[in-house]
Amino acid sequence: GAGVSQSPSNKVTEKGKDVELRCDPISGHTALYWYRQSLGQGLEFLIYFQGNSAPDKSGLPSDRFSAERTGGSVSTLTIQRTQQEDSAVYLCASSLVLAGVYEQYFGPGTRLTVT
Amino acid sequence: RKEVEQDPGPFNVPEGATVAFNCTYSNSASQSFFWYRQDCRKEPKLLMSVYSSGNEDGRFTAQLNRASQYISLLIRDSKLSDSATYLCVVTRRGADGLTFGKGTHLIIQP
């Protein structure tokens, strides 16, 4: 079946511009996560959505970052007034919450470059 | 102490050899454990979940030691295609405590 998809695959933007990154999770997966990964670094958790519960935003690095998930499916991560340190690969994952186990499946990521 | 720690490597291992690496976690309330592999410039892919009793999938064996707070991954008869970064993932409670280690870089040499 279809996996997690993300768009765009690459995004180059000028410092100060806003960007929107999209994630389509696996159909039926109730949990959705956003991470970012800088070159040569580990994954940094950003935000987590689970069903209709309030999202866990504890990983968002600043108030320039926000995310929403409409209709329990597609999610959009928005970065306002982008800075060069925002350059990274932004990864989305989804999981089917089953008996407290959260096996996540990742999308291919969006490579964001802020010039 | 970091929540999840892994030896970054690289581990250089000859093809056919057995290799093992550990991941330690600091929070004793951690509930679920996973190993992911990540190829260069690709997204992480789930390799296997780690169960309390230990589990095996082909050449891969994962074990959990709750008393010492570490999980391990053993790869037998290593293949060139096993070259990748292996990420340890630990969940605290529910899914809102997912923590990834920074990964162990494995290079299988012919």
Side-chain angles (χ1 to χ4, degrees):
Chain A
V4 178
S5 61
Q6 292 186 245
S7 60
S9 54
N10 281 284
K11 176 73 176 178
V12 180
T13 190
E14 292 179 355
K15 178 181 172 181
K17 301 278 190 183
D18 297 352
V19 294
E20 282 191 354
L21 312 180
R22 178 187 166 105
C23 172
D24 278 274
I26 293 172
S27 178
H29 279 193
T30 56
L32 185 148
Y33 318 76
W34 282 99
Y35 298 87
R36 72 177 176 183
Q37 188 172 32
S38 301
L39 189 62
Q41 299 298 310
L43 272 74
E44 177 187 1
F45 166 76
L46 297 177
I47 188 169
Y48 155 68
F49 296 90
Q50 167 54 25
N52 296 320
S53 302
D56 175 359
K57 304 178 183 181
S58 59
L60 295 178
S62 77
D63 59 7
R64 296 186 296 106
F65 287 72
S66 63
E68 62 177 23
R69 189 180 184 192
T70 53
S73 180
V74 172
S75 177
T76 303
L77 177 70
T78 302
I79 309 173
Q80 295 178 309
R81 305 181 302 282
T82 51
Q83 303 294 313
Q84 288 187 328
E85 61 262 29
D86 299 336
S87 296
V89 176
Y90 288 81
L91 290 158
C92 173
S94 70
S95 70
L96 180 62
V97 178
L98 190 65
V101 178
Y102 302 82
E103 295 181 347
Q104 298 178 75
Y105 297 87
F106 283 83
T110 293
R111 186 173 298 277
L112 175 66
T113 304
V114 181
T115 62
Chain B
R1 182 180 173 184
K2 295 177 185 174
E3 278 202 65
V4 178
E5 290 198 66
Q6 295 184 252
D7 182 341
F11 283 47
N12 290 283
V13 175
E15 191 177 7
T18 295
V19 59
F21 28 84
N22 290 344
C23 163
T24 58
Y25 60 95
S26 60
N27 193 319
S28 59
S30 298
Q31 292 183 319
S32 302
F33 308 88
F34 308 91
W35 284 104
Y36 281 74
R37 72 169 276 167
Q38 186 172 26
D39 294 287
C40 187
R41 299 177 73 86
K42 296 286 189 181
E43 72 274 19
K45 291 189 187 298
L46 179 66
L47 180 64
M48 57 197 305
S49 304
V50 186
Y51 302 122
S52 296
S53 56
N55 47 301
E56 188 174 309
D57 183 1
R59 297 181 293 108
F60 298 83
T61 300
Q63 293 200 312
L64 166 64
N65 185 317
R66 284 193 185 272
S68 300
Q69 294 183 201
Y70 73 86
I71 65 173
S72 64
L73 180 66
L74 178 84
I75 306 174
R76 288 182 298 278
D77 187 24
S78 52
K79 312 290 184 192
L80 295 176
S81 57
D82 294 334
S83 297
T85 297
Y86 290 83
L87 304 171
C88 163
V89 181
V90 174
T91 67
R92 222 174 20 252
R93 65 181 190 286
D96 56 350
L98 288 152
T99 305
F100 280 75
K102 293 195 173 180
T104 295
H105 188 37
L106 176 65
I107 301 171
I108 305 300
Q109 297 174 326

